Amino acid sequence: MEHPENERQYKGLKVQTSPSSPGSVNPYLSKNGPIRRRELSVDDYVNGILKGDTMILSRAVTLLESTRPEHEIKAQHVIERCLPYAGNSVRVGISGVPGSGKSTSIDEFGIYVLNKYGGKLAVLAIDPSSERSKGSILGDKTRMEKLSVHPKSFIRPSPSSGSLGGVARKTRESIILCEAAGYDKIFVETVGVGQSETACQSMVDFFLLIQVAGTGDELQGIKRGIMEIVDGIAVNKCDGDNMQRCQIAASYYRNALHLFPESPSGWMPKVLTYSGFYALGIKELWDSIYEYFDFVKKNGYFEHRRMEQNRYWMYETINEHLKNSFYQDPEIEEMLKNEESAVFNGKQTSFVAAQQVLDFYFKKLGLENE
Ligand code: GDP
């Protein structure tokens, strides 16, 4: 329809009719609010994963991280169906305190192994404590600039919820899904504080500790337990005028490692220096890690370690379920509160209080505690 102002008396004016609605800035945005994603069946997940579909793999990892019981059950079915296709990989744990250069290094390591050995790389994390674990995938993307845009890599931040045990179990289950999706190299990153190194070591074939040169008394900052589980130590930031200090630190670690009994693998952990930032010494480090794989694959320890880890995880899972069943019971929660204050006020000994709660629990289950 013509605009009224285009009538003769308004000579010299020509008004165009405007389009009825402006074009959408993002043509993919639904006009009816956010697009609800179709719920996937177990078959959809499994088929997608086996095809290497990263979108479905991501959604499967999200599913297994969910705490909703129906999601947990579904995730377990997916994992079970993926298991026969998993395992064909090398899994490397990479640990170091914040600032030791893990992200910078993993970025370089990842690109290096993909160029040299081909295949696909998944980077997962166990980090129950940090702010970063609150799910900022963008954070992880920017931390690993090169890998995050590499078509053969899949980066996933740490699951954020729950105890270390729970977070670690989910990371381990993510490994299975990634392997079924064809990722034959898995890095598991962990922050070198607390117990997460032990959890990490229980799911990898090679555990690498990243250290930086300190003030000279390097071993002060390294916990005894860690020295026992490392398969290799890499002293990072060996560049510029820091090189000599790194060499000194490396020889400290070498000497210290000699004080520990030989590892059951028969492998003597090596200490190497490198610079993640300037990409120096990366080849030597990875040659040594692959030398380890050859060594333990030949002597049978590779398989043996994985079997041991399976056993460990069976018990871990049982323990976690038992604990949850107990602590998440509303009656137990209530009773614990009362017993706690009785113990606190000195009205009850801790042993009697514990016994009472346990007795109640076992009675409830129909079991008598002997
Ligand atoms: P993360 O907290 O362990 O992940 O450590 P980042 O990778 O974020 O590194 C912490 C800081 O150390 C950053 O400022 C890096 O630029 C720096 N850095 C990392 N690797 C090197 C290195 O090889 N040499 C030097 N000189 N600095 C490095």
Side-chain angles (χ1 to χ4, degrees):
M1 202 183 91
E2 272 294 314
H3 199 281
E5 286 181 22
N6 288 338
E7 282 176 12
R8 274 173 155 242
Q9 72 251 39
Y10 304 115
K11 269 195 292 231
L13 260 182
K14 180 83 180 161
V15 179
Q16 303 278 357
T17 49
S18 62
S20 53
S21 73
S24 169
V25 177
N26 180 351
Y28 298 106
L29 263 184
S30 159
K31 291 197 180 72
N32 311 317
I35 303 164
R36 283 192 67 80
R37 290 197 297 186
R38 183 174 71 86
E39 194 165 318
L40 299 178
S41 67
V42 171
D43 275 341
D44 293 335
Y45 278 116
V46 175
N47 294 337
I49 289 171
L50 295 183
K51 270 195 265 165
D53 182 329
T54 44
M55 193 93 88
I56 301 224
L57 173 63
S58 269
R59 285 184 64 179
V61 174
T62 306
L63 182 78
L64 76 82
E65 287 173 359
S66 165
T67 46
R68 277 171 55 183
E70 69 269 28
H71 289 170
E72 283 184 355
I73 292 167
K74 201 172 193 179
Q76 287 311 315
H77 286 306
V78 174
I79 292 163
E80 220 168 280
R81 298 254 313 264
C82 285
L83 257 179
Y85 305 94
N88 188 20
S89 68
V90 287
R91 308 169 183 163
V92 180
I94 299 172
S95 179
V97 294
S100 56
K102 287 181 301 305
S103 331
T104 318
S105 303
I106 289 174
D107 210 23
E108 281 305 324
F109 292 169
I111 296 293
Y112 178 79
V113 294
L114 284 172
N115 283 345
K116 171 140 190 198
Y117 301 100
K120 298 203 287 180
L121 167 73
V123 181
L124 307 171
I126 310 174
D127 185 6
S129 58
S130 112
E131 279 302 304
R132 214 175 65 221
S133 65
K134 296 220 162 67
S136 142
I137 194 147
L138 201 69
D140 281 73
K141 296 251 175 210
T142 47
R143 286 196 311 126
M144 295 163 201
E145 276 174 19
K146 294 182 210 160
L147 270 188
S148 62
V149 292
H150 196 289
K152 301 281 183 193
S153 84
F154 177 79
I155 303 178
R156 186 78 192 190
S158 172
S160 55
S161 64
S163 61
L164 169 64
V167 169
R169 181 170 59 81
K170 287 172 183 186
T171 305
R172 183 177 145 87
E173 290 172 344
S174 305
I175 294 180
I176 294 167
L177 301 185
C178 290
E179 289 175 350
Y183 289 85
D184 61 346
K185 292 165 190 63
I186 312 281
F187 288 176
V188 180
E189 177 191 357
T190 188
V191 177
V193 285
Q195 254 95 59
S196 53
E197 300 94 338
T198 325
C200 179
Q201 194 251 1
S202 67
M203 64 182 81
V204 297
D205 307 310
F206 186 97
F207 184 73
L208 178 73
L209 179 68
I210 297 184
Q211 289 289 107
V212 283
T215 49
D217 54 354
E218 264 57 46
L219 296 172
Q220 295 287 314
I222 193 165
K223 286 163 281 168
R224 189 189 157 85
I226 306 288
M227 293 297 268
E228 282 165 358
I229 62 171
V230 296
D231 300 299
I233 296 180
V235 183
N236 189 18
K237 310 197 186 183
C238 188
D239 46 50
D241 47 14
N242 201 27
M243 278 164 116
Q244 201 188 350
R245 288 203 305 155
C246 288
Q247 299 299 352
I248 296 170
S251 61
Y252 267 110
Y253 295 129
R254 264 179 221 120
N255 291 339
L257 281 170
H258 275 104
L259 302 175
F260 288 92
E262 190 183 284
S263 120
S265 63
W267 172 262
M268 183 63 210
K270 296 207 163 93
V271 183
L272 294 173
T273 57
Y274 78 105
S275 164
F277 192 80
Y278 294 101
L280 302 168
I282 310 271
K283 176 185 181 302
E284 290 72 13
L285 177 59
W286 283 89
D287 281 353
S288 136
I289 294 174
Y290 272 80
E291 194 190 316
Y292 169 87
F293 289 138
D294 284 343
F295 180 78
V296 290
K297 278 183 179 170
K298 273 199 200 104
N299 75 6
Y301 182 78
F302 187 89
E303 268 307 303
H304 172 77
R305 179 158 165 173
R306 286 202 173 179
M307 291 300 163
E308 286 287 330
Q309 290 172 337
N310 288 342
R311 188 167 59 171
Y312 169 89
W313 281 99
M314 181 182 90
Y315 285 108
E316 268 300 298
T317 311
I318 293 174
N319 291 345
E320 202 194 334
H321 280 277
L322 286 177
K323 260 203 314 212
N324 287 348
S325 139
F326 179 78
Y327 284 109
Q328 288 172 7
D329 182 316
E331 281 182 293
I332 296 290
E333 268 182 66
E334 197 51 43
M335 198 172 170
L336 278 174
K337 261 189 240 153
N338 297 334
E339 295 290 346
E340 212 181 271
S341 58
V343 169
F344 197 74
N345 296 328
K347 294 200 178 114
Q348 180 95 280
T349 73
S350 41
F351 300 104
V352 172
Q355 198 58 50
Q356 280 177 354
V357 185
L358 286 170
D359 282 347
F360 177 81
Y361 181 68
F362 288 125
K363 266 207 193 90
K364 194 173 159 163
L365 291 181
L367 302 166
E368 293 299 331
N369 192 13
E370 68 295 352

